[in-house]
Amino acid sequence: MGESPTLARYDRQLRLESWDQYKLMSAKIIIAGVGALGCEAAKNLALMGVGELLLVDNDVVELSNLSRQMLYVDEDVGKPKALVAEQRVKKMNPSIKVVGFQKDVRQIPADVFSHADVLVSCVDNWPTRRWINSMAVELGKPLVDIATDGYYGNVQVVVAGKTACIECHAEALIPTEVQAAECSLRRRKPEDLMAELSERGISMERQEAEQLFNHNIKTVYDIKYAPQKLLDALDENVRNLVLRVRGLLNPKMPALQSVSATIAGLGVFETVRLLHRGSLGKPSSGLLVYDGLRGRLTKVRLDRNDSCHVCGVDEEKPVELEVAGNDTVADLREIIANKFMFPDAQIQHGTRLLDDAAEVKGLGIKSQDILYVHSTRRASPLPVRVKIVENNHQRG
């Protein structure tokens, strides 16, 4: 009997030592973000014969995408990326299953992630990247995170409990601008936001800035990356204000097709190694950093942080936090913002979400109680064990 038509498609890669096509054909991969990196990753995995691809993106095709996002053509401008990509990838390899989700990845049900073999993050912002990382760790799913910025790019493989996750070295790896924005919770005034915007040539009335502050939108970064869930909850005037200023800020980073193709190729091979479960060597640990201008690929060692608030925490070993009895919940939210970079934290004690104005001592919270911190930066609440101290001057 001759070789099946399906296997014949993969003839050249079947000749590779230790290659197992059946491991690919039985695999399910989620690709979050179908921009330049996601298009390349989807194309590569489809041509290699991964059994099922789930493509997630809530954006539409723009003219400026066409120079580096090879799944789209002129007639696609204005159409949903995920759905267009689904059709193009199916044409590349009709023997695989492809499903497009026109949604923010954070709106995809957890059980969809639980059936995936590998998560591939190709998103362009830190809040979503952090959320995907926490979902991968929570479900024990391998994550391949790939990113570019102009002539540079990086790849990080996260295997829960074995390698560093994205949060393990957040203070070093997350850009300073992002850290500052994430930690800015209470000690800012509307004038601070107005000044930031003015430096960028954008004027805003104080009344408009106060409206944004009322919805915890306090920094330029908050405006750039306010999640869709927050935007949907705003009244029309405030939502339009955020969208107008976001358009003026234009947060898009410089990008080059050849760098995207290079980084996506490296990330996809790490994905394939994960699917082979050791027969193609161990996946990379640490951070692969590509410098296109110098033609240099560097591997940065990243040790796992046992006290990481994502991969080092579970219900039996929550993060510990000192809290003064005379602290308000708003004070506590500020502490959390500075410690974990959660600018939108909501705090739960028992079944209650706590009001900002309430003092800790009046809420019945005792030392060793567990609070749960909700944030769009995490897929599930963060458990925090509190230690009550006499007053806020005694906090270490």
Side-chain angles (χ1 to χ4, degrees):
M1 295 179 64
E3 189 176 51
S4 74
T6 298
L7 288 178
R9 175 185 288 269
Y10 311 119
D11 174 70
R12 298 295 284 271
Q13 62 197 45
L14 290 173
R15 299 169 187 264
L16 291 167
E17 183 179 354
S18 302
W19 188 267
D20 188 337
Q21 187 63 36
Y22 292 102
K23 281 190 169 70
L24 270 71
M25 293 168 67
S26 62
K28 182 176 184 178
I29 306 292
I30 294 178
I31 299 177
V34 199
L37 291 167
C39 282
E40 290 288 341
K43 176 260 293 180
N44 291 350
L45 290 168
L47 295 180
M48 288 180 176
V50 166
E52 185 172 354
L53 292 175
L54 278 65
L55 312 178
V56 186
D57 201 303
N58 65 345
D59 206 353
V60 297
V61 179
E62 299 177 7
L63 182 61
S64 63
N65 300 152
L66 303 184
S67 66
R68 68 193 189 284
Q69 300 181 19
M70 37 71 59
L71 292 179
Y72 314 124
V73 296
D74 288 76
E75 66 190 39
D76 299 322
V77 172
K79 296 179 182 178
K81 285 185 176 180
L83 304 184
V84 174
E86 173 189 326
Q87 296 305 313
R88 295 281 152 70
V89 173
K90 281 179 178 177
K91 288 183 178 179
M92 288 181 171
N93 190 349
S95 65
I96 69 170
K97 182 178 180 181
V98 188
V99 180
F101 288 90
Q102 183 67 16
K103 291 184 177 181
D104 185 311
V105 68
R106 291 167 289 191
Q107 296 176 333
I108 303 297
D111 64 333
V112 174
F113 290 95
S114 68
H115 290 97
D117 294 286
V118 181
L119 310 182
V120 180
S121 172
C122 303
V123 299
D124 62 359
N125 66 86
W126 276 98
T128 309
R129 176 174 286 113
R130 296 177 72 191
W131 186 94
I132 295 169
N133 174 70
S134 74
M135 174 64 82
V137 170
E138 180 179 330
L139 296 177
K141 297 294 180 180
L143 166 67
V144 178
D145 180 76
I146 55 182
T148 63
D149 185 355
Y151 298 113
Y152 310 96
N154 56 262
V155 178
Q156 182 176 353
V157 178
V158 175
V159 180
K162 295 182 179 180
T163 71
C165 82
I166 288 170
E167 298 282 358
C168 281
H169 299 275
E171 291 185 2
L173 296 181
I174 295 180
T176 304
E177 178 203 27
V178 178
Q179 293 185 44
E182 301 287 63
C183 296
S184 300
L185 188 60
R186 289 188 65 236
R187 295 175 183 171
R188 287 177 59 86
K189 303 182 294 295
E191 290 86 355
D192 297 323
L193 176 59
M194 294 165 64
E196 281 184 348
L197 291 171
S198 179
E199 290 172 0
R200 292 162 172 79
I202 302 170
S203 62
M204 175 176 284
E205 299 293 331
R206 180 181 172 83
Q207 181 182 1
E208 293 177 321
E210 289 175 345
Q211 284 182 308
L212 297 183
F213 264 58
N214 289 337
H215 296 281
N216 203 34
I217 299 172
K218 300 184 176 184
T219 68
V220 167
Y221 192 81
D222 292 336
I223 295 173
K224 287 182 178 182
Y225 298 117
Q228 191 61 44
K229 184 177 180 181
L230 172 60
L231 293 178
D232 290 342
L234 300 174
D235 65 58
E236 185 176 0
N237 289 337
V238 179
R239 181 168 59 252
N240 288 340
L241 172 61
V242 173
L243 294 176
R244 176 179 66 80
V245 178
R246 177 184 288 181
L248 295 172
L249 288 168
N250 190 22
K252 298 173 183 177
M253 294 185 296
L256 188 64
Q257 162 61 18
S258 58
V259 175
S260 297
T262 300
I263 297 303
L266 291 170
V268 164
F269 189 70
E270 295 299 331
T271 304
V272 169
R273 288 213 284 193
L274 286 165
L275 295 178
H276 275 78
R277 298 177 179 86
S279 63
L280 293 183
K282 294 182 179 179
S284 176
S285 61
L287 188 70
L288 287 174
V289 180
Y290 175 70
D291 179 343
L293 290 178
R294 293 174 178 79
R296 180 183 300 163
L297 187 63
T298 305
K299 186 174 182 179
V300 180
R301 177 174 173 174
L302 295 178
D303 292 326
R304 185 164 175 258
N305 179 3
D306 290 335
S307 61
C308 172
H309 66 268
V310 172
C311 70
V313 174
D314 54 37
E315 290 289 340
E316 289 72 41
K317 186 185 175 184
V319 173
E320 298 198 355
L321 202 64
E322 285 192 351
V323 180
N326 63 342
D327 276 342
T328 65
V329 173
D331 292 325
L332 183 53
R333 290 178 64 233
E334 183 179 9
I335 296 168
I336 289 167
N338 286 309
K339 186 174 181 63
F340 305 120
M341 290 183 282
F342 294 168
D344 57 353
Q346 288 188 301
I347 302 170
Q348 178 182 341
H349 181 228
T351 59
R352 295 178 299 162
L353 286 176
L354 305 183
D355 181 77
D356 273 2
E359 288 192 349
V360 169
K361 63 186 178 185
L363 292 170
I365 298 172
K366 305 180 295 296
S367 283
Q368 303 305 309
D369 277 2
I370 302 293
L371 303 179
Y372 291 92
V373 179
H374 300 262
S375 170
T376 57
R377 277 53 170 172
R378 280 183 62 93
S380 62
L382 172 68
V384 173
R385 190 188 305 279
V386 296
K387 177 184 177 183
I388 306 296
V389 297
E390 286 298 316
N391 59 60
N392 56 18
H393 298 295
Q394 291 182 261
R395 185 185 301 120

